Amino acid sequence: MSVSVLRALHRDRAPGDPLVLPGPWDAGSARVLEDAGFPALATPSAGVAASLGYADGAVPADEMFAAVARITRAVSVPVSADVEAGYGLPPGELVERLLAAGAVGCNLEDTVDGVLVDAGRQADRLAAVRAAAGDALFVNARVDTYVTGVPEVVDPEAETVRRALLYGAAGAECVYPIMAPPEALPRLAAAVPGPLNALARPDGPSPARLGELGAARVTFGPGLQRRAMAALGTIATGLRTAADA
């Protein structure tokens, strides 16, 4: 499916009706999610890492792109790929590898090796990615102020808005203040032009409620993969108990 489909899905979302993008971690889970009727998917890097036997952030670039390619081949809906901070690849090569893997969108975060990147430097990188991709990729810029943290003298909400505005001006079509408190979403959505991506958490508001708070797009990170593994663990325990009876 084309990037134009993914782009159109973000537009004109009514309050309470965000674009819900579940995160497949392999081809099989992607097919299940497509069969359930979701119009697009967004891979979680941590979920893919777990499926490949790696810690989050430790997947070699070649293996991540290969995993994304297996997912995109398995479905007919658009797929956005979480490629962390871009694995140190030059923007042109990063775009080339994303497109070769069949992705029509990407997440790029502003943390490298556990450190929040200078906002201007990240904006320059996003601009270079946009220039290399043209209209071929929908770029979702992750803002890690609530994850990596900011200095005590800096207001995290104000810094999130500052970064989001810079990233949007650089060509990002959506911004993702991951782990932002739900109560901050209305203010962030009001301050930032364009779609806002919110993270749905098991103990947090529903996707519909996140939409009411200002999110135009909702993703789950590795949450679905972890729930699936927990369900498998329950099944495995039952099987083991039955075998020991």
Side-chain angles (χ1 to χ4, degrees), residues 20-51:
V20 177
L21 296 178
W25 54 93
D26 59 15
S29 60
R31 285 177 176 155
V32 168
L33 295 170
E34 180 183 34
D35 288 346
F38 289 98
L41 306 173
T43 69
S45 61
V48 173
S51 75

Side-chain angles (χ1 to χ4, degrees), residues 12-101:
D12 303 320
R13 307 299 309 192
D17 182 32
L19 174 61
V20 177
L21 296 178
W25 54 93
D26 59 15
S29 60
R31 285 177 176 155
V32 168
L33 295 170
E34 180 183 34
D35 288 346
F38 289 98
L41 306 173
T43 69
S45 61
V48 173
S51 75
L52 296 174
Y54 290 97
D56 185 20
V59 181
D62 288 350
E63 292 199 43
M64 182 61 76
F65 287 113
V68 171
R70 288 191 292 272
I71 289 168
T72 64
R73 285 197 300 266
V75 296
S76 60
V77 297
V79 175
S80 179
D82 181 352
V83 287
E84 304 176 269
Y87 308 109
L89 297 172
E93 183 178 351
L94 176 63
V95 168
E96 181 181 346
R97 297 193 71 170
L98 279 163
L99 296 177

Side-chain angles (χ1 to χ4, degrees), residues 1-241:
M1 295 290 283
S2 71
V3 64
S4 61
V5 173
L6 181 62
R7 195 166 278 130
L9 287 169
H10 288 78
R11 297 191 187 117
D12 303 320
R13 307 299 309 192
D17 182 32
L19 174 61
V20 177
L21 296 178
W25 54 93
D26 59 15
S29 60
R31 285 177 176 155
V32 168
L33 295 170
E34 180 183 34
D35 288 346
F38 289 98
L41 306 173
T43 69
S45 61
V48 173
S51 75
L52 296 174
Y54 290 97
D56 185 20
V59 181
D62 288 350
E63 292 199 43
M64 182 61 76
F65 287 113
V68 171
R70 288 191 292 272
I71 289 168
T72 64
R73 285 197 300 266
V75 296
S76 60
V77 297
V79 175
S80 179
D82 181 352
V83 287
E84 304 176 269
Y87 308 109
L89 297 172
E93 183 178 351
L94 176 63
V95 168
E96 181 181 346
R97 297 193 71 170
L98 279 163
L99 296 177
V104 295
C106 68
N107 270 19
L108 282 171
E109 62 191 53
D110 58 359
T111 294
V112 175
D113 296 330
V115 178
L116 200 62
V117 175
D118 174 79
R121 175 182 158 198
Q122 181 69 0
D124 289 344
R125 180 162 172 78
L126 289 166
V129 169
R130 168 56 62 216
D135 290 331
L137 281 177
F138 184 95
V139 178
N140 186 34
R142 201 177 97 173
V143 183
D144 282 4
T145 44
Y146 291 101
V147 177
T148 308
V150 296
E152 289 185 6
V153 295
V154 176
D155 176 66
E157 189 170 309
E159 179 63 8
T160 298
V161 170
R162 184 179 80 89
R163 286 174 176 265
L165 292 175
L166 283 172
Y167 300 166
E173 297 174 77
C174 185
V175 292
Y176 181 17
I178 186 171
M179 301 293 285
E183 61 271 19
L185 291 178
R187 296 187 296 273
L188 293 174
V192 179
L196 191 75
N197 188 156
L199 174 69
R201 302 166 68 186
D203 57 349
S206 68
R209 179 59 182 151
L210 291 171
E212 292 170 353
L213 291 171
R217 164 175 165 156
V218 174
T219 51
F220 300 83
L224 298 182
Q225 187 268 341
R226 290 173 180 170
R227 288 170 65 182
M229 292 303 100
L232 179 58
T234 299
I235 294 169
T237 299
L239 292 172
R240 183 64 185 172
T241 300

